[in-house]
């Protein structure tokens, strides 16, 4: 994984890897800066750190897609998070499985 830029519904977001050390997050999305930050250090000694980074990047990308769709303020936990974290995590975790089926069926 490396720093890069990605187009989210017509808006460019910068993806940056950063040491987050003892922070209690593995990544975050800043809609105002159009930036996504993903943990680069395996501070918590996660067994499959690459899997965690990919899952977290998917999670943050879902936040970005929702924000750019105008949904950043339309969720149950809007006061605390901006989006419902359960929904975002579900999409981030299940999307590779869904995309695999879509590819098998040639419907992407």
């Amino acid at each position: 994984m490396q720093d890069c830029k990605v187009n989210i519904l017509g808006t460019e977001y910068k993806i940056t890897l950063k040491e987050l050390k003892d922070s209690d997050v593995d990544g975050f999305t800043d809609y105002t800066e159009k930036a996504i930050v993903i943990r680069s250090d395996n501070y918590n000694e996660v067994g499959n750190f690459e899997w965690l980074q990919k899952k977290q990047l998917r999670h943050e990308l879902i936040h970005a897609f929702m924000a750019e769709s105008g949904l950043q303020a339309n969720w149950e936990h809007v006061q605390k998070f901006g989006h419902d974290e359960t929904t975002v995590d579900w999409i981030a975790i299940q999307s590779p499985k869904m995309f695999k089926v879509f590819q098998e069926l040639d419907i992407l």
Side-chain angles (χ1 to χ4, degrees):
M1 188 173 291
Q2 60 187 4
D3 292 0
C4 63
K5 294 180 181 179
V6 64
N7 185 306
I8 305 292
L9 301 176
T11 300
E12 187 174 271
Y13 274 71
K14 181 178 178 184
I15 299 172
T16 305
L17 299 172
K18 180 179 178 183
E19 282 191 26
L20 299 176
K21 298 184 181 176
D22 62 352
S23 172
D24 63 351
V25 298
D26 292 319
F28 59 89
T29 300
D30 182 336
Y31 315 118
T32 64
E33 291 287 327
K34 308 301 183 195
I36 294 173
V37 174
I38 301 297
R39 176 183 291 281
S40 66
D41 57 308
N42 193 357
Y43 181 84
N44 296 312
E45 299 181 14
V46 173
N48 190 341
F49 185 62
E50 181 181 357
W51 177 89
L52 174 69
Q53 285 180 305
K54 288 179 181 179
K55 180 262 179 202
Q56 191 65 39
L57 180 54
R58 288 192 305 269
H59 179 101
E60 300 309 329
L61 286 167
I62 300 297
H63 276 298
F65 272 102
M66 288 178 159
E68 295 306 316
S69 295
L71 298 175
Q72 66 269 28
N74 296 315
W75 295 89
E76 175 185 350
H77 297 104
V78 68
Q79 298 302 322
K80 186 173 179 184
F81 300 114
H83 296 136
D84 179 71
E85 290 297 301
T86 302
T87 302
V88 172
D89 237 10
W90 184 88
I91 295 168
I93 292 167
Q94 300 306 330
S95 60
K97 301 166 194 168
M98 295 180 335
F99 296 148
K100 181 179 178 190
V101 171
F102 295 167
Q103 286 176 328
E104 288 173 5
L105 296 171
D106 194 27
I107 59 173
L108 281 177

